[in-house]
């Protein structure tokens, strides 16, 4: 949208001026003025496979460069497990948290179902292992354009089975952001319905719970969210591959949580395009009697304001939640 | 703002069209299209005392009429206690909850510090007594234009002292919405600093925690919130009477919660003009180690969508929180 102009003083949304919030850290203000990551303004056409691969590669390159610059902060070793289709990285932190033996976190990466895999998924595993002080499995699942839904769901369920077979379910937490939080939620309720035990905890960061984009914040926060912008949903349609977006395997807002779901922490920001997806899933879980807690950060957009104090605070709440539910506090 | 046009299909904010969210109940959609309460478009001048009294009387009349239509649902008896300046209503529900003997809720009403007193405060007490099944004290505190800050704070502190002298603090919860949640928060931290014991629980519904209006949602949700509209803050300036808005007795976002604060539930909506005030106070409490939980409802504006299922759900969470913390679950 050519009508959006932003700078250190704020942003114009058409004729509406939204001043830069002074209620957030200087780093988060700088991020709003000049976001490190943001979606390219135009998505490829749905049938342009090469275009989607180039689109994802561009985002991945920026993500991987940023993660590599920080990987020295979370030293650890990496193993690889071949699943039927995907790859499961196993990251073991150099500094295992006391009492952390046998505990594990399964990370399912985000990236609108089209990016964040491969090396980025491996680095995400190392990062989360370092920050939790726990062994972290990180899944590189199949993605479109080559592998639309339900490939990612199948790989996520397989990864969860793998981890639950190697660890006491009471010692397993899941972590996902955005599309990854969607897959975490889907994998847990589908595995539950398949008779597997529930893991101990879920972290859902800015979850995409309704791929139809019907949440109010999809409109109210359009372009205010400098990470997702207007959110045209093309990547989600590519992922869905023509399946009904109301399918609870695509939009877990429509799944049934009354048969049980692990204690869950949900995190988002007031400017997140997926604010509605997050608070609606929180209400749905609460309505089903699930122990679910919600945290919302002032003026935060989708995902994290990288390296801002707010991002550390988000991670601090998430990691404390994991430790508490794995019996480590 | 003449540029705002809304109907059953949605609303135009200047050139931005925000469709009616279909993710909320039909009743809540009807409320968005035609809100029962909304702030008059123009506030009186700050020195127009008669104008402010007429302004408050108009809002109060609508509020009292709506409450009277529902008062039969929550039968109870009402007593009055004269405080040094204010009046404390004591509402005893006909149907006291089993085990509820000796328990009490102190309600401090909202209304931008200028309305909601008198009969509305008494009715609010009866309503909350009926809905909690507990004795409910409801404070009619002094308000501007005759009595600006700190009159309401003094009355709130006196009411809390009164209730804590008659009940075991472990059996006392506080309830406040909007300006009332501001006063609850201030009364609790000031009473704590004065050496009084902490009550057992606080309910803060859409709290006004920063009267300077610096929260991001003051701009991002301006006019999207059909209850508060653009929020010109005139009533808050009238209340402050020239005092520094950064004073923690006016803006409790600036108070210190590390010496202790009761377990607290905070409730708001994604369209609330005070969404930022609410989530910032939640973060502040969490940062101080307070047990504080946040609930955010999809597309809800400031206060409640009266009689919508969402409003019952909000109250259900709040009442369950009170019962749990008064040892009644």
């Amino acid at each position: 949208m050519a009508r959006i102009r932003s700078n250190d003083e704020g942003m114009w949304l058409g004729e509406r001026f939204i001043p830069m919030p002074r209620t957030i850290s200087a780093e988060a203000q700088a991020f709003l003025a000049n976001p490190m990551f943001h979606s390219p303004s135009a998505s490829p056409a749905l049938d342009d496979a090469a275009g989607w691969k180039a689109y994802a590669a561009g985002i991945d390159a920026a993500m991987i460069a940023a993660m590599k610059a920080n990987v020295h902060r979370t030293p650890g070793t990496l193993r690889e497990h071949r699943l039927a289709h995907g790859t499961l990285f196993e990251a073991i932190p150099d500094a295992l948290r006391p009492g952390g033996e046998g505990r594990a976190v399964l990370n399912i990466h985000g990236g609108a179902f089209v990016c964040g895999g491969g090396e980025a998924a491996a680095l995400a595993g190392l990062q989360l292992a370092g920050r939790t002080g726990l062994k972290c499995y990180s899944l590189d699942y199949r993605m479109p354009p080559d592998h639309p839904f339900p490939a990612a769901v199948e790989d996520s369920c397989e990864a969860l089975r793998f981890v639950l077979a190697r660890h006491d379910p009471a010692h397993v937490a899941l972590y996902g952001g955005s599309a990854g939080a969607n897959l975490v939620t889907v994998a847990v309720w589908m595995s539950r319905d398949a008779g597997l035990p529930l893991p101990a905890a879920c972290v859902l960061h800015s979850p995409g719970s309704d791929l139809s984009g019907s949440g109010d914040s999809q409109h109210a926060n359009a372009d205010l969210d400098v990470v997702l912008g207007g959110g045209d949903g093309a990547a989600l349609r590519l992922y869905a591959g023509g399946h009904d977006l109301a399918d609870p395997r695509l939009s877990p807002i429509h799944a049934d949580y009354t048969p049980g779901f692990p204690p869950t922490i949900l995190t988002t920001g007031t400017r997140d395009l997926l604010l509605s997806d997050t608070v609606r899933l929180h209400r749905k879980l609460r309505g089903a009697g699930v122990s679910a807690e919600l945290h919302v950060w002032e003026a935060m957009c989708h995902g994290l304001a990288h390296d801002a104090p707010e991002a550390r605070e988000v991670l601090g709440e998430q990691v404390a939640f994991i430790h508490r539910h794995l019996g480590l506090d």
Side-chain angles (χ1 to χ4, degrees), chain A:
Chain A
M1 289 175 77
R3 290 177 294 107
I4 304 166
R5 289 162 288 143
S6 74
N7 59 29
D8 295 347
E9 299 303 312
M11 70 195 309
W12 287 94
L13 296 181
E15 64 197 52
R16 274 169 82 89
F17 181 68
I18 311 290
M20 176 65 71
R22 304 306 179 192
T23 44
I24 57 177
S25 69
E27 295 91 331
Q29 290 181 44
F31 181 83
L32 285 184
N34 185 24
M36 180 183 297
F37 300 123
H38 57 88
S39 303
S41 47
S43 310
L46 284 189
D47 60 359
D48 178 8
W52 278 102
K53 288 179 184 178
Y55 172 97
I59 295 175
D60 282 350
M63 203 184 298
I64 289 167
M67 292 170 105
K68 277 190 170 165
N70 285 316
V71 72
H72 66 278
R73 296 189 196 171
T74 52
T77 57
L78 210 52
R79 295 180 55 195
E80 253 184 75
H81 302 277
R82 295 296 313 163
L83 304 181
H85 298 285
T87 299
L88 191 61
F89 298 105
E90 179 180 351
I92 302 165
D94 285 357
L96 193 72
R97 187 184 164 89
E101 298 78 12
R103 269 74 173 175
V105 182
L106 169 58
N107 176 63
I108 303 185
H109 70 80
F113 301 100
V114 293
C115 50
E119 187 174 6
L123 289 166
L126 274 173
Q127 199 171 67
L128 194 57
R131 287 173 173 171
T132 56
L134 301 174
K135 177 182 288 189
C136 178
Y137 298 91
S138 188
L139 175 65
D140 183 17
Y141 53 85
R142 288 171 293 163
M143 294 190 286
D146 293 339
H147 302 285
F149 172 86
V153 168
E154 291 168 1
D155 294 351
S156 297
C157 288
E158 187 188 358
L160 180 53
R161 277 198 306 277
F162 181 97
V163 174
L164 289 175
R166 288 166 58 116
H167 296 268
D168 178 350
H171 290 166
V172 172
L174 280 87
Y175 187 104
S178 192
N182 170 296
L183 291 168
V184 161
T185 311
V186 170
V188 169
W189 77 253
M190 287 184 67
S191 300
R192 174 204 69 195
D193 283 2
L196 287 176
L198 291 176
C202 287
V203 178
L204 304 179
H205 182 56
S206 292
S209 67
D210 181 354
L211 300 196
S212 76
S214 59
D216 195 43
S217 65
Q218 293 275 347
H219 303 280
N221 280 344
D223 300 317
L224 260 176
D225 181 336
V226 299
V227 175
L228 290 184
D232 67 0
L236 309 182
R237 287 193 297 280
L238 183 75
Y239 168 61
H243 286 84
D244 181 1
L245 295 175
D247 186 323
R249 298 172 303 161
L250 277 164
S251 294
I253 192 71
H254 301 300
D256 182 8
Y257 300 99
T258 52
F261 199 79
T264 298
I265 183 172
L266 300 100
T267 49
T268 181
T270 61
R271 288 195 181 196
D272 190 352
L273 205 66
L274 300 191
L275 172 63
S276 290
D277 274 44
T278 308
V279 307
R280 289 171 62 209
L281 186 56
H282 179 240
R283 299 282 2 122
K284 177 100 183 187
L285 293 171
R286 293 284 300 185
V290 175
S291 171
E293 59 180 70
L294 175 69
H295 299 261
V296 183
W297 272 263
E298 164 77 339
M300 199 175 82
C301 302
H302 188 63
L304 293 172
H306 297 264
D307 291 325
E310 287 87 344
R312 291 194 289 277
E313 199 181 309
V314 173
L315 198 69
E317 285 279 7
Q318 294 169 335
V319 170
F321 186 86
I322 291 172
H323 289 162
R324 190 159 68 249
H325 288 279
L326 298 188
L328 291 173
D329 59 351

